[in-house]
Amino acid sequence: VKDYELRQYETAKWVSTVIRGETQKEAMHQGFWKLFHYIQGKNEKEMKIDMTVPVTCLVKAGCTDFKISFFVPFEHQDCPPQPTDSNVFIEERKAAALFVRSFGGFASPEKYAEEADTLARTLRNRGQPFHEDFFYTAGYDSPFKLFNRHNEVWYFKK
């Protein structure tokens, strides 16, 4: 297994919400449901949208705000329906190169932090410059999937 991979992401739209002043676990839970309601039709077109992966969470050093996001499916990328919940918004993430570390199992915030530490250490050891003050967690499975789960941590390449 490789320690990490370098991935190039294209510009893309995500639907996001920021949860403040909660634990990461609680923020993930609250954020997930806000976004889930959006794809279930809590949007201007009252349109149901397919659930896509990954679900990401932006974790900033020393910060208790967590931004939870769902990837907007390809068929809605050009024109995603606007959220009707004022705490949910569409954001465009610019194309970027990301260092990605993958791991299995059920990922707790502690596990994500540990994997991010490992990735950061590896990148420093190899002299790979990256933005150290934040990382993304990415989950690819429904909570009901028990085996062969796939999780990632992402750092942005400098």
Side-chain angles (χ1 to χ4, degrees), residues 54-118:
V55 177
T56 65
C57 177
L58 171 60
V59 181
K60 291 184 284 204
C63 179
T64 57
D65 291 0
F66 298 99
K67 185 172 70 180
I68 320 310
S69 311
F70 287 2
F71 182 74
V72 172
F74 292 108
E75 62 268 28
H76 298 294
Q77 277 286 324
D78 290 338
C79 193
Q82 285 305 309
T84 49
D85 178 340
S86 59
N87 294 311
V88 176
F89 56 96
I90 304 290
E91 63 163 328
E92 184 168 272
R93 294 193 197 162
K94 297 284 169 238
L98 305 184
F99 292 111
V100 177
R101 179 176 168 83
S102 302
F103 60 100
F106 277 91
S108 61
E110 295 71 31
K111 180 70 178 153
Y112 275 126
E114 194 181 299
E115 296 289 339
D117 276 351
T118 302

Side-chain angles (χ1 to χ4, degrees), residues 27-152:
M28 290 284 295
H29 182 75
Q30 285 184 21
F32 180 89
W33 285 108
K34 275 189 186 297
L35 298 172
F36 189 74
H37 291 315
Y38 165 81
I39 65 172
Q40 286 294 301
K42 201 171 174 188
N43 56 62
E44 281 180 355
K45 295 183 185 158
E46 296 189 357
M47 183 190 279
K48 265 198 178 354
I49 297 169
D50 290 337
M51 171 91 207
T52 56
V53 292
V55 177
T56 65
C57 177
L58 171 60
V59 181
K60 291 184 284 204
C63 179
T64 57
D65 291 0
F66 298 99
K67 185 172 70 180
I68 320 310
S69 311
F70 287 2
F71 182 74
V72 172
F74 292 108
E75 62 268 28
H76 298 294
Q77 277 286 324
D78 290 338
C79 193
Q82 285 305 309
T84 49
D85 178 340
S86 59
N87 294 311
V88 176
F89 56 96
I90 304 290
E91 63 163 328
E92 184 168 272
R93 294 193 197 162
K94 297 284 169 238
L98 305 184
F99 292 111
V100 177
R101 179 176 168 83
S102 302
F103 60 100
F106 277 91
S108 61
E110 295 71 31
K111 180 70 178 153
Y112 275 126
E114 194 181 299
E115 296 289 339
D117 276 351
T118 302
L119 175 56
R121 224 176 16 249
T122 307
L123 294 172
R124 282 187 210 107
N125 288 343
R126 304 213 178 144
Q128 291 280 11
F130 64 102
H131 292 278
E132 303 199 19
D133 47 338
F134 68 94
F135 64 89
Y136 278 93
T137 69
Y140 285 81
D141 303 298
S142 111
F144 309 109
K145 181 174 175 183
L146 300 182
F147 302 106
N148 300 318
R149 296 178 60 84
H150 184 77
N151 318 286
E152 295 174 350

